[in-house]
Amino acid sequence: MAKAEQIPLPFRIVVAQPVIGVLHSLQAKDDQPLDPKLSRAGEALHFDFPVRVAPGPKFFGDQVRREGPERRFVYIRIGQAAGDPASPWSRRMKIDIHDIDPALLARAAEGGILEIQVQGTGKDGTPACATVRATSLRVVAP
């Protein structure tokens, strides 16, 4: 897909109610932690990154991963995987983006940030991991 057909959109992942004191990060293109942060008092963690969107829609960018011909997602690394060797956890959240409504993408293209909120704590009280479904998907002002 030619880059001329790709529209850059700002994306934000919000990890709501993360486990306090556990390091989280985006996964960089080279599979390393990127923009590590942790919650000190239960506050949400915000990760901003660019995504290029082409007709289809198709998704491209350093944080975009692929699985098969259609599935596109972003990883949030947790604990040891996020760069904290002392953490008891080494996990990743997989957050799907391939199924975002094209109308929402069009609204973000008009000047907003596409925000995906996920729950940061699993039912067992440990950091959420594996495929994590969005609890909120919206366009917010920059």
Side-chain angles (χ1 to χ4, degrees), residues 13-27 32-40 43-47 75-84 87 89 91-93 95 118-122 125-129 132:
I13 293 177
V14 176
V15 180
Q17 300 175 330
V19 175
I20 294 171
V22 178
L23 197 62
H24 290 66
S25 74
L26 283 168
Q27 181 166 309
Q32 296 301 308
L34 175 69
D35 191 20
K37 31 187 100 170
L38 58 83
S39 176
R40 298 196 185 284
E43 70 278 6
L45 304 175
H46 296 80
F47 297 96
Y75 277 129
I76 297 290
R77 298 170 67 98
I78 301 164
Q80 293 175 22
D84 180 2
S87 177
W89 298 288
R91 299 179 172 179
R92 292 188 300 187
M93 287 184 200
I95 303 163
V118 297
Q119 180 65 30
T121 301
T126 67
C129 63
V132 179

Side-chain angles (χ1 to χ4, degrees), residues 52-70:
R52 297 183 318 277
V53 182
K58 297 185 181 199
F59 301 89
F60 304 91
D62 289 348
Q63 278 64 56
V64 177
R65 300 289 177 264
R66 62 185 297 156
E67 188 175 280
E70 300 295 324

